[in-house]
C-alpha cells in the first residue's frame, strides 16, 4: 500500500482532499453520532484517538466537546496544519495507525472515518491489534466504511466481517447507513455505513 500512502500525503500538499469536503457536509451527522457516543458518559468524557485524522477536523470537534483528543496521521503536512487554531485538549502526532505507539496512552473512544478502508489485510490486522492494546475497559470504536463498487481497484469495499476479523476482541453494537451526499461518483455508489463496536469484556 506504499503507493496509496504516498498519494495520500501528496493529496494534502496539492490540496486535493475530497474526503474533507465530505466531512464538512456530514458534520451534523457526525455531531449526532458523537452526541449519542457521549450520552451516559461523565464530563469530561475521557480520551479519544482520531485514527487517520488528516488536518484534524474531527479531532478539533472532539476536543471542543471536552474529550482529551489525539489525532494521528502519516501525512506530515496535514499534521502540521492540524495544530493551527487547535482548541485546548487537542494534540497531533505523526504516526502510522498500523504501528500505534504505546506511549500514546490508553483511550476510551476511537474514531475512524475511512482510514481502515485503504489498508491491506495485514495492515488492517495490525491496526486492530494496536487499537485493542490502547483501549481502556469499556472502550468504543466508531468507524465510517464504504462498500465495494464495480471499480474494486479504486474503491475496495469493507464489510462488517472484514472489521470483525481485524478486531476480534470487539463486538458490534450498531450499524447504520451513512449519507452519500457530497461523496461524488464513484464513492456515492459504495453504500457507506457507520459501524460502532465495543471492547468485549
Amino acid at each position: 500500500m506504499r503507493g496509496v500512502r504516498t498519494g495520500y500525503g501528496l493529496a494534502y500538499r496539492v490540496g486535493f482532499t475530497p474526503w474533507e469536503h465530505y466531512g464538512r457536509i456530514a458534520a451534523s451527522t457526525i455531531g449526532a453520532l458523537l452526541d449519542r457516543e457521549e450520552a451516559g458518559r461523565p464530563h469530561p468524557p475521557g480520551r479519544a484517538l482520531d485514527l487517520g485524522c488528516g488536518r484534524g477536523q474531527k479531532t478539533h470537534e472532539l476536543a471542543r466537546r471536552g474529550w482529551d483528543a489525539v489525532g494521528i496521521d502519516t501525512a506530515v503536512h496535514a499534521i502540521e496544519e492540524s495544530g493551527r487554531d487547535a482548541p485546548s485538549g487537542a494534540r497531533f502526532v505523526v504516526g502510522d495507525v498500523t504501528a500505534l505507539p504505546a506511549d500514546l496512552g490508553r483511550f476510551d473512544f476511537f474514531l475512524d472515518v475511512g482510514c481502515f478502508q485503504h489498508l491491506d489485510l495485514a495492515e488492517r490486522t495490525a491496526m486492530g491489534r494496536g487499537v485493542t492494546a490502547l483501549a481502556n475497559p469499556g472502550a468504543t470504536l466508531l468507524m465510517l466504511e464504504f462498500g465495494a463498487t464495480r471499480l474494486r481497484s479504486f474503491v475496495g469495499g469493507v464489510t462488517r466481517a472484514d472489521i470483525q476479523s481485524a478486531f476480534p476482541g470487539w463486538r458490534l453494537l450498531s450499524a447504520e447507513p451513512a449519507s452519500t451526499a457530497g461523496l461524488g461518483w464513484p464513492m456515492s455508489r459504495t453504500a457507506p455505513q457507520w459501524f460502532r463496536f465495543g471492547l468485549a469484556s
Side-chain angles (χ1 to χ4, degrees):
M1 299 293 285
R2 182 170 296 175
V4 172
R5 295 193 185 197
T6 300
Y8 173 71
L10 179 62
Y12 280 104
R13 290 194 295 274
V14 302
F16 180 70
T17 54
W19 51 88
E20 290 185 310
H21 174 66
Y22 178 71
R24 287 189 290 272
I25 290 176
S28 60
T29 297
I30 294 172
L33 290 167
L34 293 177
D35 287 342
R36 193 185 310 171
E37 192 63 46
E38 292 159 8
R41 291 183 184 264
H43 191 82
R47 300 194 72 224
L49 182 60
D50 184 5
L51 298 151
C53 66
R55 280 191 277 239
Q57 286 177 330
K58 295 168 295 299
T59 319
H60 287 191
E61 175 65 15
L62 288 164
R64 282 192 288 267
R65 289 169 165 267
W67 293 91
D68 177 5
V70 178
I72 187 167
D73 203 293
T74 57
V76 176
H77 184 72
I79 289 294
E80 289 173 347
E81 292 194 4
S82 68
R84 297 175 186 170
D85 302 318
S88 175
R91 72 181 181 95
F92 297 91
V93 177
V94 175
D96 192 330
V97 299
T98 68
L100 292 168
D103 61 7
L104 287 176
R106 306 293 284 262
F107 295 91
D108 307 290
F109 176 56
F110 299 85
L111 179 63
D112 169 22
V113 183
C115 182
F116 183 86
Q117 187 87 30
H118 300 289
L119 305 178
D120 64 25
L121 180 59
E123 291 168 331
R124 290 175 177 183
T125 300
M127 176 178 166
R129 188 166 52 244
V131 166
T132 302
L134 297 184
N136 280 325
T140 54
L141 166 67
L142 181 65
M143 308 178 79
L144 174 65
E145 304 300 341
F146 302 87
T149 70
R150 292 181 180 178
L151 302 174
R152 288 180 182 271
S153 62
F154 184 69
V155 182
V158 171
T159 66
R160 168 182 168 178
D162 293 331
I163 301 170
Q164 291 190 299
S165 177
F167 292 82
W170 298 69
R171 67 189 187 283
L172 181 68
L173 301 177
S174 64
E176 58 189 276
S179 172
T180 59
L183 277 177
W185 185 89
M187 296 300 289
S188 58
R189 303 295 183 88
T190 61
Q193 281 194 293
W194 286 102
F195 294 97
R196 183 171 181 260
F197 290 87
L199 185 64
S201 56

